[in-house]
Amino acid sequence: MTLLCDKEIADLAINHNMIEPFVNKIVREENGRKVLSYGLGSYGYDIRLSPSQCLVFGRIDAGDTDPKNFNQDILRPVQLLKDDRGEYFLIPPYGYCLGVAEERLELPDNVTVVAMGKSSYARTGIIANITPAEAGWCGHLTLEISNATPLFNRIYANEGIIQLLFYQGNPCETTYHKRKGKYQDQAKEIVTCKV
């Protein structure tokens, strides 16, 4: 597999609708306000956190989380806040939340994506789980984010949150789409674990 560069990512985004909406450069400022960068980089693409939804794992007295029988009641919405630095969700100390990507992906049959945390967030204690999206997958990614600090931590909506690395190889025999993967065609809303 080969890591795709900016011109290859741009070609797939523009001519094959791989990323929508697509921004063909790194954006660091909007209307005179600095933002956490998003858009096309040298060897990746920084996606934005949608302001539409953020759910944090709530504090409960007992129980567990189970990927085979996920209890939606343990999630609670986080309020979208705003100040002169932008719109943001405030993640509690040692909190774990789910968000959703603003951009929609439609991966070709020979491209797989790996989502990685951005260094600006990593330096404040925000960790984004490393997750793949396989060849043929499409939809809005559900983002898994944790606050590893004893402090409240901001994650900004409509700004860069995760970098995607695109790997291209020979077309696989069975794509995510063909095998009817359980997370296919995700809308712009959080999708919890399914078995």
Side-chain angles (χ1 to χ4, degrees):
M1 293 196 105
T2 303
L3 179 64
L4 297 182
C5 70
D6 50 5
K7 62 185 174 184
E8 294 167 312
I9 296 167
D11 176 62
L12 289 169
I14 294 166
N15 297 315
H16 302 282
N17 301 317
M18 185 173 73
I19 305 168
E20 291 182 353
F22 174 70
V23 179
N24 68 352
K25 63 181 180 178
I26 287 290
V27 175
R28 291 188 175 94
E29 188 175 307
E30 291 178 339
N31 302 320
R33 181 176 57 85
K34 290 183 179 183
V35 298
L36 291 151
S37 62
Y38 65 89
L40 182 63
S42 302
Y43 283 92
Y45 190 91
D46 292 358
I47 58 174
R48 294 170 287 177
L49 176 65
S50 171
S52 66
Q53 194 178 30
C54 182
L55 301 175
V56 69
F57 282 67
R59 296 197 173 135
I60 56 174
D61 294 332
D64 56 20
T65 57
D66 183 351
K68 292 185 177 183
N69 185 26
F70 191 79
N71 178 1
Q72 301 274 344
D73 294 337
I74 66 171
L75 297 173
R76 59 181 168 87
V78 179
Q79 181 182 1
L80 182 65
L81 302 170
K82 183 177 181 178
D83 64 14
D84 59 346
R85 285 174 274 172
E87 293 182 309
Y88 62 94
F89 297 105
L90 199 55
I91 308 306
Y94 304 114
Y96 189 83
C97 71
L98 301 175
V100 65
E102 182 66 27
E103 292 81 1
R104 183 181 187 281
L105 302 179
E106 190 164 329
L107 298 178
D109 291 351
N110 64 341
V111 174
T112 287
V113 165
V114 176
M116 311 279 289
K118 288 176 57 72
S119 63
S120 293
Y121 273 122
R123 293 163 199 241
T124 66
I126 291 292
I127 300 169
N129 275 0
I130 300 170
T131 57
E134 294 184 48
W137 184 87
C138 66
H140 292 267
L141 289 170
T142 293
L143 310 174
E144 304 90 6
I145 302 161
S146 61
N147 176 5
T149 76
L151 307 170
F152 283 86
N153 213 325
R154 293 182 182 205
I155 53 174
Y156 284 90
N158 295 308
E159 298 186 26
I161 186 79
I162 285 177
Q163 182 181 46
L164 301 179
L165 301 177
F166 297 83
Y167 293 92
Q168 187 173 46
N170 294 323
C172 55
E173 203 167 302
T174 307
T175 66
Y176 196 83
H177 175 75
K178 286 179 184 173
R179 76 169 185 264
K180 297 179 174 48
K182 59 189 171 192
Y183 298 113
Q184 185 70 321
D185 295 317
Q186 290 181 181
K188 196 194 292 188
E189 61 187 35
I190 291 168
V191 176
T192 58
C193 48
K194 301 176 182 180
V195 175

